[in-house]
Amino acid sequence: MNKKIYADFGYLILLAASFGAVFVLGAIVAPVIFHTDRLAVDLLIDHYNEGVIMSEIFLRFSYFIYFLAFSVALYEAVMYKTGQRDKTLFYSAFLVVATSLMFSGVYVPKILELQAMGREATTSDTFDNLHIASEIDFKILAAALIVLFIRRLMLLRRS
């Protein structure tokens, strides 16, 4: 059996797990964290502290996202050299790497920087715009991961 199958399988698992993590953090964890008032009876956390908790989760997740960006860039570069490439793969891989680096290298640090300035900084238009941009980035990352996973799976079935 070809040992390359293990790298391919591991890569597909990484893409699927990454999509799952992005989905769970965005669709499940964030809404729960930011709506503790609806869930807990005697536990009231203000919006600022909910944001601090969520930021810590995203800070820890950003280390995984850096690993994802590196892995996608490396794997897709190797596959490009072997001839397993097309426009869909190229663009979706580029989006995964770019949005991963933007999220982990720009949005998370900037949000943490504004949070360190205090509550007032998190109520500014700058913070709101930064937060909206990070949400859009996260959604693009999720879409790019799913496209990359499906397209890579389709190409691997042909070989």
Side-chain angles (χ1 to χ4, degrees):
M1 180 180 279
N2 188 355
K3 291 184 180 183
K4 182 183 168 299
I5 191 85
Y6 297 115
D8 295 338
F9 188 65
Y11 182 67
L12 289 175
I13 287 175
L14 176 66
L15 293 178
S18 299
F19 173 77
V22 168
F23 178 77
V24 166
L25 285 175
I28 298 172
V29 174
V32 169
I33 294 289
F34 284 109
H35 298 291
T36 57
D37 57 326
R38 296 181 194 164
L39 301 171
V41 177
D42 293 329
L43 175 70
L44 291 176
I45 302 174
D46 65 343
H47 194 66
Y48 175 76
N49 285 311
E50 290 169 343
V52 170
I53 293 168
M54 199 66 218
S55 293
E56 182 62 28
I57 292 168
F58 281 130
L59 176 63
R60 293 176 188 202
F61 183 61
S62 68
Y63 298 119
F64 175 77
I65 292 292
Y66 278 127
F67 174 74
L68 170 68
F70 174 77
S71 299
V72 168
L74 180 65
Y75 183 88
E76 293 301 334
V78 169
M79 291 295 104
Y80 184 85
K81 290 188 92 168
T82 63
Q84 289 187 358
R85 60 186 178 258
D86 65 7
K87 286 183 183 179
T88 304
L89 276 172
F90 177 78
Y91 291 130
S92 58
F94 174 79
L95 280 174
V96 166
V97 172
T99 56
S100 294
L101 295 177
M102 283 292 291
F103 184 79
S104 296
V106 177
Y107 294 122
V108 170
K110 288 286 187 189
I111 287 172
L112 290 173
E113 181 183 315
L114 288 170
Q115 282 178 338
M117 292 179 189
R119 293 177 196 275
E120 295 79 30
T122 62
T123 59
S124 68
D125 288 339
T126 302
F127 185 84
D128 288 341
N129 292 336
L130 188 64
H131 186 263
I132 290 168
S134 72
E135 287 177 345
I136 293 169
D137 181 81
F138 218 51
K139 290 173 185 172
I140 293 170
L141 174 59
L145 279 166
I146 222 44
V147 169
L148 182 59
F149 175 83
I150 291 169
R151 188 63 188 142
R152 182 49 69 193
L153 186 61
M154 289 170 60
L155 285 180
L156 286 173
R157 288 196 65 209
R158 288 186 194 162
S159 53

